[in-house]
Amino acid sequence: MAKIQMKTPLVEMDGDEMTRILWKLIKDQLIIPYIDLKSEYYDLGLPHRNETNDQVTIDSANATKKYGVAVKCATITPNAARMPEYNLKEMWKSPNGTIRAMLDGTVFRAPILVDGIHPYIPNWKKPITIARHAYGDVYKNAELRVDGGCKAELLVTYPDGTEIRELIHDFKTPGIIQGVHNIDKSIESFARACMNYALDQKQDLWFATKDTISKKYDHRFKDIFAEIFEKEYKEKFEAAGIEYFYTLIDDAVARVIRSEGGYIWACKNYDGDVMSDMVATAFGSLSMMTSVLVSPDGIYEYEAAHGTVQRHYYKYLKGQPTSTNPVATIFAWSGAFRKRGELDQLPDLMAYADKLEQATIQTIQDGIMSGDLAALSTLPNKRTASTEEFLDEIAKRLASLMI
Ligand code: NAP
Ligand code: MG
């Protein structure tokens, strides 16, 4: 059978530890046999980031801007323990943080649903995608502890010397203060990324803040979303048969629990941090969450939501058997191929992406799965497969779908 041809290269960002092992297995067994893979390869593994003084991360983000679609393996974000382990020159920044900042993107996370693994919320039938605003608020704050007997104020100074003051609190006894900010431009990008993604997925978009209490700060988020929706998206949403829905955050969480799923939930930075872990856990497993970074001008970077699965890697290095779940990494590849196929009008590439996902899900539904899934699955015939065996079984099913 002739291999499927591509037009534009995918930006391929390799990574670390167990996911780097998965990366190669996935390419060798599930991709190369069917696709004449055109990729521009960047090795974001920690040793190479260290060698290039992290330039490779910047180069990979620039390549993503140039070509429009990237697929990324999980990477180590160095901490103190990694310094001697990898003999690092510096504690390099998180590649995801660097890429997100360069693309000005929003991260969308969605669970992969399979039969036999039931969400903890029984009425959730369809995935809930969380879109987290990744700038500002409590993540870029200024904080102080103060003694009693002081007055705390917000002070804003303009270049012409104009000052604006606002009382925060008259402290009689010791306490704490926090200053947070956000930027209209960042909120606008977030709104556009969410609205574009909703159109792309043909799903409703929900957004919630606490604007009744935070009448200027959270209200600004609400207003920016509303203005952009009215001006740029209202007609497109109507044409696509989807809706934009704003409510208060406490009403939103209640509705989410009662819902069937099947929509995109846009969250402020903190809400997205907390709610994405809650939603991921309630759907079953972090290793079944996909993640895509979307820039406001329509650039896509696909990856798994989990990390490098360090504990499994150390077992692997000792020659012990592992049972690592490759599903989210496979779906990162399928997502990237489908998007590349859509942009380059390559129906064969899009069909391959569907079959790759189908083969993966079928394997789990046939009862063959990694240990993390076997612990959750209610299938009577389930069996825990090793990392290699699980991929072999997916490859078999893909082969029969590709005839
Ligand atoms: P992790 O790699 O997500 O793994 C945490 C635990 O979750 C694992 O030990 C494993 O549990 C389970 N798990 C996660 N993915 C799994 C999979 N595919 N199959 C089976 N089990 C899975 O998080 P971590 O160990 O805290 O972090 C390791 C490294 O990843 C860190 O250096 C961190 O910086 C990096 N990281 C990268 C990204 C990214 O690139 N996007 C995201 C998060 C973390 P058991 O051990 O109980 O089996
Ligand atoms: Mg979190």
Side-chain angles (χ1 to χ4, degrees):
M1 196 187 66
K3 289 191 185 185
I4 296 167
Q5 296 298 311
M6 297 175 65
K7 279 187 196 154
T8 317
L10 267 184
V11 178
E12 177 186 347
M13 303 169 176
D14 207 343
D16 289 299
E17 300 194 310
M18 201 59 203
T19 41
R20 189 179 179 98
I21 307 294
L22 289 175
W23 198 258
K24 180 160 185 342
L25 291 171
I26 291 169
K27 277 177 70 178
D28 288 348
Q29 295 197 51
L30 304 178
I31 297 171
I32 309 283
Y34 305 104
I35 309 278
D36 192 6
L37 180 65
K38 261 195 185 171
S39 74
E40 202 166 290
Y41 179 87
Y42 292 87
D43 183 1
L44 265 54
L46 188 50
H48 194 237
R49 274 184 277 148
N50 192 51
E51 267 163 43
T52 62
N53 297 327
D54 210 23
Q55 185 60 38
V56 64
T57 306
I58 294 164
D59 292 346
S60 73
N62 281 325
T64 305
K65 284 187 182 173
K66 176 172 164 195
Y67 292 114
V69 185
V71 56
K72 180 179 171 294
C73 179
T75 46
I76 293 170
T77 298
N79 57 13
R82 302 295 196 169
M83 298 293 291
E85 185 183 356
Y86 284 88
N87 198 9
L88 299 180
K89 296 186 233 172
E90 244 182 68
M91 212 186 282
W92 305 110
K93 283 192 268 179
S94 147
N96 288 58
T98 303
I99 296 165
R100 198 184 302 143
M102 284 180 68
L103 299 183
D104 187 18
T106 298
V107 174
F108 297 85
R109 282 187 166 193
I112 300 154
L113 304 193
V114 291
D115 289 351
I117 294 176
H118 303 285
Y120 287 91
I121 312 295
N123 44 288
W124 284 2
K125 302 281 190 284
K126 298 177 213 160
I128 295 168
T129 301
I130 296 230
R132 173 181 170 190
H133 185 212
Y135 180 82
D137 301 351
V138 71
Y139 302 85
K140 276 232 185 271
N141 66 357
E143 300 187 321
L144 285 174
R145 274 178 70 175
V146 294
D147 294 328
C150 70
K151 186 168 78 168
E153 292 173 302
L154 279 178
L155 166 63
V156 178
T157 319
Y158 284 93
D160 69 356
T162 314
E163 289 187 348
I164 305 172
R165 281 168 193 275
E166 175 83 22
L167 179 71
I168 297 172
H169 191 67
D170 232 330
F171 283 92
K172 307 282 184 262
T173 56
I176 41 184
I177 312 169
Q178 184 175 62
V180 298
H181 79 280
N182 222 298
I183 296 169
D184 285 4
K185 201 168 151 277
S186 172
I187 304 169
E188 287 162 11
S189 294
F190 175 51
R192 289 197 180 92
C194 291
M195 290 175 196
N196 287 338
Y197 198 70
L199 285 169
D200 195 64
Q201 299 290 305
K202 300 217 170 13
Q203 289 185 342
D204 290 347
L205 175 65
W206 296 15
F207 182 47
T209 72
K210 194 72 186 173
D211 65 285
T212 46
I213 299 295
S214 172
K215 289 184 166 48
K216 295 219 169 78
Y217 196 100
D218 276 21
H219 214 284
R220 188 74 194 125
F221 280 82
K222 178 184 177 181
D223 286 347
I224 287 175
F225 266 68
E227 282 160 25
I228 289 182
F229 179 71
E230 284 298 320
K231 269 197 216 131
E232 301 170 28
Y233 290 92
K234 196 171 181 199
E235 277 148 32
K236 292 183 200 160
F237 270 50
E238 274 166 13
I242 58 173
E243 70 171 32
Y244 169 62
F245 170 65
Y246 178 86
T247 186
L248 278 174
I249 186 69
D250 26 7
D251 180 46
V253 296
R255 285 172 186 263
V256 164
I257 297 298
R258 288 197 306 265
S259 78
E260 276 205 340
Y263 48 86
I264 294 153
W265 182 13
C267 290
K268 284 182 63 199
N269 210 348
Y270 176 83
D271 298 341
D273 184 352
V274 176
M275 289 303 158
S276 64
D277 283 355
M278 190 199 72
V279 169
T281 307
F283 269 109
S285 166
L286 186 61
S287 53
M288 296 291 277
M289 285 295 269
T290 60
S291 181
V292 53
L293 174 72
V294 185
S295 80
D297 43 349
I299 290 163
Y300 292 75
E301 183 239 313
Y302 293 84
E303 64 175 324
H306 60 77
T308 60
V309 213
Q310 181 181 13
R311 217 178 59 83
H312 295 208
Y313 181 59
Y314 290 164
K315 278 173 75 178
Y316 173 87
L317 288 181
K318 286 189 206 143
Q320 293 168 6
T322 56
S323 181
T324 311
N325 186 336
V327 173
T329 306
I330 295 173
F331 274 62
W333 277 101
S334 59
F337 281 129
R338 185 178 294 110
K339 180 53 74 181
R340 198 62 277 166
E342 226 176 272
L343 295 173
D344 293 344
Q345 295 173 350
L346 299 170
D348 287 353
L349 194 60
M350 292 165 74
Y352 162 80
D354 291 345
K355 287 175 184 168
L356 178 56
E357 292 180 359
Q358 212 183 319
T360 306
I361 289 175
Q362 193 56 52
T363 306
I364 302 168
Q365 295 185 166
D366 288 344
I368 302 161
M369 60 194 85
S370 46
D372 60 318
L373 295 181
L376 296 169
S377 175
T378 55
L379 293 183
N381 59 339
K382 66 184 172 188
R383 155 167 98 71
T384 302
S386 69
T387 304
E388 295 77 9
E389 206 187 333
F390 191 13
L391 281 161
D392 287 344
E393 291 289 337
I394 296 170
K396 271 190 220 162
R397 285 162 182 76
L398 180 62
S400 57
L401 287 171
M402 291 300 293
I403 295 170

CSV table of all heavy atoms in Angstrom, one decimal, residues 18 63 103 120 169 233 237 259-260 263 271 292 296 318 356 358 394 402:
chain,number,residue,atom,x,y,z
A,18,MET,N,9.8,8.6,30.0
A,18,MET,CA,9.0,7.5,29.5
A,18,MET,C,8.2,8.0,28.2
A,18,MET,O,8.0,7.2,27.3
A,18,MET,CB,8.0,7.0,30.6
A,18,MET,CG,7.5,5.6,30.3
A,18,MET,SD,8.9,4.4,30.2
A,18,MET,CE,8.0,3.1,29.3
A,63,ALA,N,9.2,27.8,14.6
A,63,ALA,CA,8.8,26.9,13.5
A,63,ALA,C,7.2,26.6,13.5
A,63,ALA,O,6.6,26.6,12.5
A,63,ALA,CB,9.5,25.6,13.6
A,103,LEU,N,3.4,32.0,21.5
A,103,LEU,CA,2.3,31.9,20.7
A,103,LEU,C,1.1,32.7,21.2
A,103,LEU,O,0.0,32.7,20.5
A,103,LEU,CB,1.9,30.4,20.5
A,103,LEU,CG,2.9,29.5,19.8
A,103,LEU,CD1,2.4,28.1,19.7
A,103,LEU,CD2,3.4,30.0,18.5
A,120,TYR,N,-17.1,9.9,37.1
A,120,TYR,CA,-17.7,9.9,38.5
A,120,TYR,C,-19.0,10.5,38.5
A,120,TYR,O,-19.8,10.4,39.4
A,120,TYR,CB,-16.7,10.5,39.4
A,120,TYR,CG,-15.5,9.6,39.8
A,120,TYR,CD1,-14.3,9.7,39.0
A,120,TYR,CD2,-15.6,8.7,40.8
A,120,TYR,CE1,-13.2,8.9,39.3
A,120,TYR,CE2,-14.5,7.9,41.0
A,120,TYR,CZ,-13.3,8.0,40.3
A,120,TYR,OH,-12.3,7.1,40.6
A,169,HIS,N,-7.3,48.5,52.8
A,169,HIS,CA,-7.7,48.2,54.2
A,169,HIS,C,-6.9,49.0,55.2
A,169,HIS,O,-5.8,49.3,55.0
A,169,HIS,CB,-7.6,46.7,54.5
A,169,HIS,CG,-8.3,46.3,55.8
A,169,HIS,ND1,-9.7,46.3,55.9
A,169,HIS,CD2,-7.8,45.8,57.0
A,169,HIS,CE1,-10.0,45.9,57.1
A,169,HIS,NE2,-8.9,45.6,57.8
A,233,TYR,N,-18.3,37.5,16.4
A,233,TYR,CA,-18.6,36.1,16.4
A,233,TYR,C,-20.0,35.7,16.3
A,233,TYR,O,-20.4,34.6,16.1
A,233,TYR,CB,-17.9,35.4,17.6
A,233,TYR,CG,-16.4,35.3,17.4
A,233,TYR,CD1,-15.6,36.3,17.9
A,233,TYR,CD2,-15.8,34.3,16.7
A,233,TYR,CE1,-14.2,36.2,17.8
A,233,TYR,CE2,-14.4,34.2,16.6
A,233,TYR,CZ,-13.6,35.2,17.1
A,233,TYR,OH,-12.3,35.1,16.9
A,237,PHE,N,-21.4,32.2,15.1
A,237,PHE,CA,-22.0,31.2,16.0
A,237,PHE,C,-23.4,30.7,15.6
A,237,PHE,O,-23.7,29.6,15.6
A,237,PHE,CB,-22.0,31.7,17.5
A,237,PHE,CG,-20.8,31.5,18.3
A,237,PHE,CD1,-19.5,31.8,17.8
A,237,PHE,CD2,-20.9,30.9,19.6
A,237,PHE,CE1,-18.4,31.5,18.5
A,237,PHE,CE2,-19.7,30.7,20.3
A,237,PHE,CZ,-18.5,31.0,19.8
A,259,SER,N,-24.8,18.8,33.9
A,259,SER,CA,-24.8,18.7,32.4
A,259,SER,C,-24.5,17.4,31.9
A,259,SER,O,-24.1,16.5,32.6
A,259,SER,CB,-23.8,19.7,31.8
A,259,SER,OG,-22.5,19.2,31.9
A,260,GLU,N,-24.7,17.2,30.5
A,260,GLU,CA,-24.2,16.0,29.8
A,260,GLU,C,-22.8,16.1,29.3
A,260,GLU,O,-22.3,15.2,28.7
A,260,GLU,CB,-25.1,15.9,28.6
A,260,GLU,CG,-26.4,15.3,28.7
A,260,GLU,CD,-26.8,14.7,27.3
A,260,GLU,OE1,-26.3,15.1,26.3
A,260,GLU,OE2,-27.7,13.8,27.4
A,263,TYR,N,-19.3,20.6,25.7
A,263,TYR,CA,-19.1,22.1,25.5
A,263,TYR,C,-17.7,22.5,25.9
A,263,TYR,O,-17.0,21.7,26.5
A,263,TYR,CB,-20.2,22.9,26.3
A,263,TYR,CG,-20.3,22.5,27.7
A,263,TYR,CD1,-19.4,23.0,28.6
A,263,TYR,CD2,-21.2,21.5,28.1
A,263,TYR,CE1,-19.5,22.6,30.0
A,263,TYR,CE2,-21.3,21.1,29.4
A,263,TYR,CZ,-20.4,21.7,30.3
A,263,TYR,OH,-20.5,21.2,31.6
A,271,ASP,N,-9.4,29.5,38.1
A,271,ASP,CA,-10.5,28.6,38.0
A,271,ASP,C,-10.1,27.4,37.1
A,271,ASP,O,-10.5,26.3,37.3
A,271,ASP,CB,-11.8,29.3,37.4
A,271,ASP,CG,-12.3,30.4,38.2
A,271,ASP,OD1,-12.0,30.4,39.4
A,271,ASP,OD2,-13.0,31.3,37.7
A,292,VAL,N,-4.4,21.0,23.8
A,292,VAL,CA,-4.0,21.7,22.6
A,292,VAL,C,-3.9,23.2,22.9
A,292,VAL,O,-4.8,23.7,23.5
A,292,VAL,CB,-4.9,21.4,21.4
A,292,VAL,CG1,-6.4,21.6,21.7
A,292,VAL,CG2,-4.5,22.2,20.2
A,296,PRO,N,-4.5,33.0,19.0
A,296,PRO,CA,-5.6,33.7,18.5
A,296,PRO,C,-5.6,33.8,17.0
A,296,PRO,O,-6.6,33.9,16.4
A,296,PRO,CB,-5.5,35.1,19.1
A,296,PRO,CG,-4.3,35.1,20.0
A,296,PRO,CD,-3.6,33.8,19.9
A,318,LYS,N,15.8,0.2,34.6
A,318,LYS,CA,16.3,-0.9,35.3
A,318,LYS,C,15.9,-2.2,34.6
A,318,LYS,O,16.2,-3.3,35.1
A,318,LYS,CB,15.7,-0.9,36.7
A,318,LYS,CG,16.3,0.1,37.6
A,318,LYS,CD,15.8,-0.2,39.1
A,318,LYS,CE,15.8,1.1,39.9
A,318,LYS,NZ,14.7,1.2,40.8
A,356,LEU,N,-6.6,5.9,13.5
A,356,LEU,CA,-5.6,5.8,14.6
A,356,LEU,C,-6.3,5.9,16.0
A,356,LEU,O,-6.1,5.1,16.9
A,356,LEU,CB,-4.5,6.8,14.5
A,356,LEU,CG,-3.5,6.9,15.5
A,356,LEU,CD1,-2.7,5.6,15.7
A,356,LEU,CD2,-2.4,8.0,15.2
A,358,GLN,N,-9.6,5.4,16.5
A,358,GLN,CA,-10.5,4.2,16.5
A,358,GLN,C,-9.8,3.0,17.0
A,358,GLN,O,-10.3,2.3,17.9
A,358,GLN,CB,-11.1,4.0,15.1
A,358,GLN,CG,-12.5,3.5,15.0
A,358,GLN,CD,-12.8,3.3,13.5
A,358,GLN,OE1,-12.4,4.1,12.7
A,358,GLN,NE2,-13.4,2.2,13.2
A,394,ILE,N,-2.6,-2.1,19.6
A,394,ILE,CA,-3.2,-1.0,18.8
A,394,ILE,C,-2.7,-1.1,17.4
A,394,ILE,O,-3.5,-0.9,16.4
A,394,ILE,CB,-2.7,0.3,19.5
A,394,ILE,CG1,-3.3,0.5,20.9
A,394,ILE,CG2,-3.2,1.5,18.6
A,394,ILE,CD1,-2.7,1.7,21.7
A,402,MET,N,-6.6,-0.1,8.2
A,402,MET,CA,-6.0,0.6,7.1
A,402,MET,C,-6.0,-0.2,5.8
A,402,MET,O,-5.4,0.3,4.8
A,402,MET,CB,-4.5,1.0,7.5
A,402,MET,CG,-4.4,2.0,8.6
A,402,MET,SD,-5.1,3.6,8.2
A,402,MET,CE,-4.0,4.2,6.9
